[in-house]
């Protein structure tokens, strides 16, 4: 029987977050059941994808939605829609757009790499990034100067990868762009709020199905009906290699329903319990410093930040590497390693894994301190 173990691909204890690189999310029973039901019968795919899009849009307070393989494909779809529209010759021509009005205006602090550069997703959709401002300051006048006859859209990236300070907030971007007749696209891949960006006036918004929503590797683009229809036109062009299957489509609907009906308070309480388990378990470990911290992107998430005290005799990078190679491997949040901190995310941990993570970190710190003692 096929399994991770049979393939020699070890399952990972995830203290990092819902990351595409770790398989996105693990699926709740009702989501797995939806996937399995979809696998039992043939269906008219065009019909299924339209109905699934309508259902997700209704749940999220948007006019319509388009299902994709992920937020990255969602960015490609949004750009293709605004650059090429549904003109059949232009749909076929992508990614080589040779006509005017294909600049995608992006604030400098939003030009992120989420595992691939967002700039490349824009090019794949036929767009050309026009960066405005600097990573630490974007004057509104710089944005407005870029909203000329070449601008097909503004792309706003709402993410912990993006620079938070010095960039214009979405409200101001929408006001300026709409005054110039330019649509606003939002990459909200990992965001928890499925209604906020449409409510703030964004014309299209891309989400990952496998991040906050807890669904399978997938995604959707929400927004204005006519723009969603333009995304759909590219299913017979650039989006063909990014098509979603019937099992994933049904599971994504089930995951979105479950996500929006979840008991938020109970879920946060469970996260806080696991966070406290991590904090209590690691407090007093010689060489480590701990801090409970809020999410850097402002989401309602708290994590345990872990650093190494100066003179501890080992580095944080060594600890991360030892955890990565442990059996089972433990993945931690390490994008701020250079600043001297990693973080443990309680959300993807099973309750029983809290003690495993604590025990392993204690053992590795003891080993590193012993191994490097004079
Ligand atoms: C994760 C991420 C993506 C890619 O999402 P997928 O669903 O894996 O395609 C795009 N943009 C941002 C900001 C992300 O965080």
């Amino acid at each position: 029987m096929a399994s991770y173990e049979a393939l020699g691909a070890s399952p990972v204890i995830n203290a990092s977050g819902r990351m595409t690189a770790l398989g996105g999310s693990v699926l709740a029973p009702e989501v797995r059941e939806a996937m399995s039901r979809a696998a039992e019968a043939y269906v008219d795919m065009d019909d299924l994808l339209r109905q699934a899009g309508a259902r997700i849009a209704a749940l999220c307070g948007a006019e319509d939605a388009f299902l994709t393989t992920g937020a990255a494909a969602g960015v490609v779809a949004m750009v293709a829609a605004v650059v090429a529209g549904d003109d059949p010759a232009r749909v076929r021509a992508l990614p080589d757009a040779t006509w005017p009005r294909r600049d995608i205006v992006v604030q400098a602090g939003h030009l992120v790499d989420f595992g691939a550069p967002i700039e490349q997703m824009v090019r794949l959709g036929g767009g050309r990034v026009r960066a405005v401002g600097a990573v630490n300051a974007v004057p509104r006048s710089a944005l407005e100067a870029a909203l000329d006859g070449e601008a097909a859209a503004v792309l706003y990236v709402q993410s912990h990868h993006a620079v938070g300070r010095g960039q214009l907030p979405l409200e101001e971007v929408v006001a300026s762009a709409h005054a110039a007749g330019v649509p606003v696209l939002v990459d909200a891949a990992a965001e928890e709020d499925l209604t906020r960006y449409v409510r703030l006036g964004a014309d299209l918004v891309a989400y990952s199905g496998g991040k906050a929503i807890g669904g399978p590797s997938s995604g959707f683009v929400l927004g204005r009906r006519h723009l969603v229809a333009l995304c759909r036109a590219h299913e017979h062009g650039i989006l063909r290699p990014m098509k979603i299957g019937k099992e994933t489509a049904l599971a994504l609907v089930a995951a979105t329903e479950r996500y929006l009906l979840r008991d938020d308070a109970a879920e946060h309480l469970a996260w806080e319990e696991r966070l406290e388990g991590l904090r209590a378990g690691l407090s007093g470990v010689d060489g480590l410093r701990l801090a409970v911290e809020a999410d850097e992107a402002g989401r309602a998430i708290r994590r345990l930040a872990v650093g190494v005290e100066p003179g501890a005799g080992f580095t944080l990078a060594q600890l991360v590497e030892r955890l990565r190679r442990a059996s089972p491997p433990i993945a931690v949040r390490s994008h701020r390693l250079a600043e001297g901190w990693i973080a443990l995310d309680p959300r993807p941990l099973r309750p029983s894994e809290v003690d495993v993570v604590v025990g392993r970190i204690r053992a590795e710190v003891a080993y590193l301190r012993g191994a490097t003692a004079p």
Side-chain angles (χ1 to χ4, degrees):
M1 197 177 78
S3 68
Y4 294 152
E5 290 83 354
L7 290 172
S10 179
V12 172
I13 293 183
N14 182 0
S16 176
R18 285 171 177 157
M19 323 264 298
T20 304
L22 293 174
S25 295
V26 295
L27 303 180
E30 61 264 48
V31 179
R32 297 201 301 265
E33 283 154 20
M35 191 169 250
S36 164
R37 271 197 306 282
E40 287 169 15
Y42 296 101
V43 68
D44 182 308
M45 281 306 290
D46 195 45
D47 220 26
L48 171 66
L49 294 179
R50 277 172 195 273
Q51 300 297 347
R55 173 71 180 140
I56 288 173
L59 288 165
C60 302
E63 291 175 13
D64 201 358
F66 172 72
L67 275 62
T68 67
T69 48
V75 172
V76 177
M78 297 191 297
V79 171
V82 297
V83 167
D86 59 358
D87 174 73
R90 290 185 171 188
V91 168
R92 275 195 305 276
L94 290 187
D96 303 317
T98 50
W99 51 89
R101 203 179 172 95
R102 58 195 175 89
D103 282 1
I104 303 296
V105 176
V106 188
Q107 301 186 69
H110 288 191
L111 285 172
V112 301
D113 188 311
F114 53 78
I118 197 152
E119 186 271 338
Q120 186 177 29
M121 305 305 116
V122 170
R123 273 190 288 128
L124 192 50
R128 188 168 53 189
V129 163
R130 172 142 33 137
V132 292
V135 289
N136 61 341
V138 182
R140 191 151 168 187
S141 57
L143 172 74
E144 289 180 350
L147 298 172
D148 56 19
E150 283 300 309
V154 180
L155 174 60
Y156 186 97
V157 180
Q158 178 67 42
S159 164
H160 68 283
H161 295 301
V163 175
R165 278 184 305 151
Q167 310 297 301
L168 296 168
L170 183 60
E171 292 88 332
E172 288 183 32
V173 170
V174 166
S176 292
H178 286 179
V182 173
V184 176
L185 317 175
V186 176
D187 176 356
E191 294 309 301
E192 298 183 312
D193 195 326
L194 303 187
T195 61
R196 174 181 165 82
Y197 307 102
V198 163
R199 229 172 37 236
L200 289 179
D203 298 282
L204 288 174
V205 188
Y207 288 92
S208 290
K211 293 180 180 172
I213 297 166
S217 284
S218 60
F220 52 75
V221 172
L222 290 173
R224 299 199 193 284
R225 193 178 307 284
H226 72 283
L227 289 173
V228 171
L230 296 182
C231 291
R232 213 167 263 133
H234 293 271
E235 286 180 314
H236 303 288
I238 197 87
L239 300 181
R240 178 59 198 250
M242 307 172 210
K243 69 176 188 286
I244 180 172
K246 60 189 186 306
E247 301 81 5
T248 314
L250 204 63
L252 179 57
V253 172
T256 308
E257 286 173 346
R258 179 178 190 276
Y259 177 70
L260 288 169
L261 295 172
R262 75 196 183 284
D263 182 345
D264 221 24
E267 195 178 70
H268 279 84
L269 205 63
W271 294 349
E272 287 292 322
E273 273 172 23
R274 301 207 279 275
L275 180 66
E276 178 51 24
L278 291 167
R279 196 201 58 76
L282 291 175
S283 68
V285 174
D286 277 345
L288 292 186
R289 41 190 190 145
L290 307 176
V292 170
E293 63 176 16
D295 179 55
E296 57 276 58
R299 294 168 296 184
I301 304 166
R302 298 203 316 152
R303 303 186 182 88
L304 185 66
V306 179
V308 168
E309 291 187 341
F314 66 98
T315 67
L316 196 55
Q318 284 176 310
L319 177 61
V320 170
E321 185 57 18
R322 298 274 317 165
L323 293 171
R324 195 178 68 80
R325 294 195 194 190
S327 176
I330 297 173
V332 300
R333 212 172 168 81
S334 57
H335 65 278
R336 291 197 298 132
L337 188 62
E339 294 161 41
W341 291 99
I342 58 171
L344 305 177
D345 192 325
R347 294 173 304 156
L349 287 174
R350 293 193 181 91
S352 64
E353 290 174 337
V354 170
D355 287 344
V356 178
V357 171
V358 165
R360 178 50 66 180
I361 291 179
R362 283 181 161 270
E364 295 299 350
V365 168
Y367 170 84
L368 286 165
R369 286 173 71 85
T372 55

